Amino acid sequence: MEYTTLPHTDIEVSKICLGTMTWGNQNTEAEGHEQMDFALDKGVNFFDTAELYPVPAHPDRHSDTEKIIGTWFKKNGNRDKVILGTKIAGKADFTKFIRTTGFTPDSIRSAVDASLERLQTDYIDLYQLHWPERNTNYFGKRGYTHDVSDHWEDNIHQVLETLRDLIREGKIRQVGISNETPWGTMRFLTESKVHASLPRAITIQNPYSLLNRQFEVGLSEISIREKVGLLAYSPLGFGTLSGKYLGGMQPATARITLFPNYKRYSSEQAVRATEKYHKLAQEHGLSMAQMALSFVNTRPFVTSTIIGATSIEQLDQNIASIDLTLSEEVLKGIDEIHNAIPNPAP
């Protein structure tokens, strides 16, 4: 395994981060425990979860993933071996069963306390805002259309004050943002620069893959210059970049088969791009999944790549991508495909 540090800290994390959002729905508690055992044995010390998980969000399964991680900590007593990130859900119609109050001080405090209880731990290493409160373009929306009726108030200062107090209390260690835009990212950074007592956002968890390289426009420069590390999620595009859906295949237990409304990486253009990446991998004797992950792993703005799997076999292959170095010929081929079909799945 390769390791790096969370920006502006001495917290060492693996370049591969274990994603957990299937545990409690597609995976049982026992399977979640098995994946954590396996990943830790392979050198993965960075786990990411959220109060929303598992997905799809549902009142009957709300926060079951955090509970599964908590029972694993209790069983093994190895909390000190893991750098743990979790997230507070933003406002949305599909999260009304969690709360409707957004990132108010009381909401953040209650969310942190509830996560700590479920995770059976005294602290969270990286606490993240799952998505912005304001109306903006995230979760697959390409462009920004300003809504004059959106009376969102810029409460970033208050949010950071609350998170600062939670850091002082020892409940969280560091702060991150997620599904953010360049404007939102700079607003958080500016606030913490102007007000030195406020915590700095050290990571941003956004989608990034061969099918979605939009992070490279705007956010990559911010990431490198301001040292805000990308925690890349969906690096395999809901599994499409494993090739398992090519030719119209629908594996019975696969995510898109079970949840066909997850169409973000299944457009006609995305399928055409995936076919081209599959051909490129075959020409060079590579697993397409490992080629796709290796590309993400080695981008200069990526702090860690969040991988998810529903089986140990998938997890093993995904973790092993850290050992693959792509040739200049393969990288050239990737860029040629990207230039021909840029960002087909934002």
Side-chain angles (χ1 to χ4, degrees), residues 146-160:
H146 187 65
D147 182 358
V148 295
S149 67
D150 176 18
H151 299 298
W152 176 79
E153 295 180 2
D154 187 351
N155 67 338
I156 288 175
H157 185 93
Q158 185 183 69
V159 168
L160 290 175

Side-chain angles (χ1 to χ4, degrees), residues 27-280:
N27 288 107
T28 65
E29 178 182 51
E31 289 169 339
H33 285 195
E34 184 182 18
Q35 286 194 30
M36 287 183 278
D37 287 336
F38 184 87
L40 194 63
D41 186 60
K42 292 290 186 178
V44 175
N45 75 335
F46 192 14
F47 296 178
D48 179 75
T49 190
E51 65 170 357
L52 178 72
Y53 297 165
V55 293
H58 192 279
D60 294 342
R61 295 185 293 271
H62 166 35
S63 301
D64 281 358
T65 304
E66 287 189 331
K67 294 174 186 176
I68 289 171
I69 296 172
T71 57
W72 184 76
F73 282 146
K74 183 177 181 181
K75 179 177 70 174
N76 295 306
N78 52 14
R79 174 66 184 90
D80 61 335
K81 297 179 181 178
V82 173
I83 304 302
L84 179 64
T86 192
K87 302 182 279 293
I88 178 174
K91 291 177 70 174
D93 286 340
F94 66 92
T95 58
K96 287 180 178 178
F97 64 88
I98 300 177
R99 75 182 61 81
T100 60
T101 49
F103 300 149
T104 65
D106 287 346
S107 296
I108 294 173
R109 281 192 164 277
S110 64
V112 168
D113 287 340
S115 286
L116 289 171
E117 182 176 354
R118 289 187 293 262
L119 292 163
Q120 301 195 48
T121 183
D122 296 327
Y123 66 98
I124 295 161
D125 295 289
L126 180 65
Y127 198 65
Q128 303 155 95
L129 308 176
H130 208 152
W131 61 88
E133 286 188 281
R134 68 191 187 280
N135 290 324
T136 188
N137 48 326
Y138 54 86
F139 290 155
K141 185 177 178 181
R142 283 187 182 272
Y144 172 70
T145 302
H146 187 65
D147 182 358
V148 295
S149 67
D150 176 18
H151 299 298
W152 176 79
E153 295 180 2
D154 187 351
N155 67 338
I156 288 175
H157 185 93
Q158 185 183 69
V159 168
L160 290 175
E161 278 187 327
T162 306
L163 294 172
R164 175 200 63 197
D165 293 344
L166 289 164
I167 290 173
R168 289 174 176 174
E169 294 165 25
K171 292 183 177 181
I172 64 177
R173 297 177 68 191
Q174 299 291 337
V175 172
I177 52 180
S178 182
N179 294 296
E180 261 296 359
T181 65
W183 182 87
T185 303
M186 288 307 299
R187 274 293 294 114
F188 273 96
L189 294 176
T190 299
E191 202 66 29
S192 61
K193 287 179 180 179
V194 172
H195 304 279
S197 70
L198 299 181
R200 180 188 183 96
I202 63 168
T203 58
I204 177 171
Q205 186 174 149
N206 275 31
Y208 185 74
S209 70
L210 292 178
L211 298 176
N212 180 359
R213 293 170 58 176
Q214 285 190 312
F215 191 88
E216 295 174 8
V217 182
L219 276 168
S220 62
E221 183 179 11
I222 294 172
S223 175
I224 292 170
R225 292 187 184 278
E226 301 289 339
K227 295 182 173 58
V228 181
L230 173 61
L231 307 181
Y233 79 76
S234 288
L236 289 179
F238 293 168
T240 59
L241 286 168
S242 70
K244 62 185 176 184
Y245 300 109
L246 289 177
M249 291 190 295
Q250 292 187 313
T253 60
R255 186 181 311 170
I256 296 176
T257 305
L258 294 173
F259 314 117
N261 58 309
Y262 283 8
K263 300 177 180 179
R264 189 171 181 177
Y265 299 93
S266 302
S267 67
E268 182 180 343
Q269 282 186 313
V271 171
R272 285 198 296 113
T274 301
E275 290 171 344
K276 290 181 179 293
Y277 288 121
H278 184 249
K279 181 180 179 181
L280 177 66

